[in-house]
Amino acid sequence: MKKCVIGLLPKIIAFLVIIGFFLPLTLLFLWLFLYDTQAAPDLRQTYLLGILLFGGFLLFAAYRTLYLGLVWVEYDEETVIFHYSRTEEYTFRWEDIPGKAIQAGVNGRGYIFCIEGDYKDRQIPLNHASSGFREFEKMLETKGVLRRIGVLRKEDYCAAYQKMWEGMNKKP
């Protein structure tokens, strides 16, 4: 099976934001909370809120990336498997996209797939920063998914223009 996964550059940028922003701010607020004992009670509450806020972001980011894993897609000629995490995956046939359980659409320079579950909706974005995206996009076009979600190719625009031109030049 072929894969389409988040590329290395977005992973590096996210890691640098976590290590360069959330970790230092969490440590700064922790240091201020522990060692600025003469601060006013309102300021100490602000320090505590900073610890909770930035520490919460830091813990969530670590949990999502290290424990659950990032989103990726595996596919072959007949099926596509959307992995939301290491433990949560959704399998669809190409003909079923879009359908009752999965919607697809354009998202910037890529595509987003929305999987509707019992009590949760999962969104899996894929774009040009994902490794293997070009092959995945070719497979989407080959299987007719792009046409079903309303993404037109250059040939479709040319055919529509030609049909419109012929309609305008008909003599009554």
Side-chain angles (χ1 to χ4, degrees), residues 27-167:
L27 294 176
L28 172 69
F29 280 107
L30 180 63
W31 184 81
L32 288 171
F33 182 75
L34 293 176
Y35 293 109
D36 192 9
T37 56
Q38 296 178 355
D42 291 344
L43 196 54
R44 289 189 54 81
Q45 285 179 347
T46 304
Y47 297 158
L48 185 59
L49 286 175
I51 294 169
L52 294 175
L53 178 71
F54 294 113
F57 282 138
L58 184 66
L59 288 176
F60 174 75
Y63 171 74
R64 179 66 196 166
T65 57
L66 301 176
Y67 181 71
L68 288 180
L70 301 173
V71 297
W72 77 95
V73 176
E74 291 180 315
Y75 61 96
D76 60 12
E77 290 293 324
E78 296 152 7
T79 59
V80 59
I81 303 170
F82 295 96
H83 295 273
Y84 186 73
S85 67
R86 290 187 179 110
T87 59
E88 194 174 343
E89 65 182 41
Y90 302 92
T91 305
F92 296 98
R93 297 183 57 74
W94 286 108
E95 302 86 43
D96 298 336
I97 303 173
K100 185 176 181 181
I102 182 170
Q103 297 297 317
V106 177
N107 184 24
R109 293 185 58 211
Y111 306 102
I112 189 164
F113 298 90
C114 301
I115 301 168
E116 299 169 5
D118 294 332
Y119 298 105
K120 54 192 169 206
D121 294 339
R122 301 296 191 203
Q123 295 183 357
I124 299 178
L126 297 168
N127 56 29
H128 289 280
S130 303
S131 64
F133 179 75
R134 293 179 202 269
E135 293 85 15
F136 183 68
E137 189 175 37
K138 287 178 187 174
M139 184 64 81
L140 288 172
E141 186 173 344
T142 303
K143 296 300 179 178
V145 174
L146 294 182
R147 183 177 295 273
R148 287 192 296 270
I149 65 173
V151 176
L152 300 176
R153 300 173 303 170
K154 186 176 180 180
E155 295 84 22
D156 297 331
Y157 284 115
C158 291
Y161 181 75
Q162 182 69 24
K163 188 175 180 180
M164 181 187 74
W165 183 257
E166 290 171 357

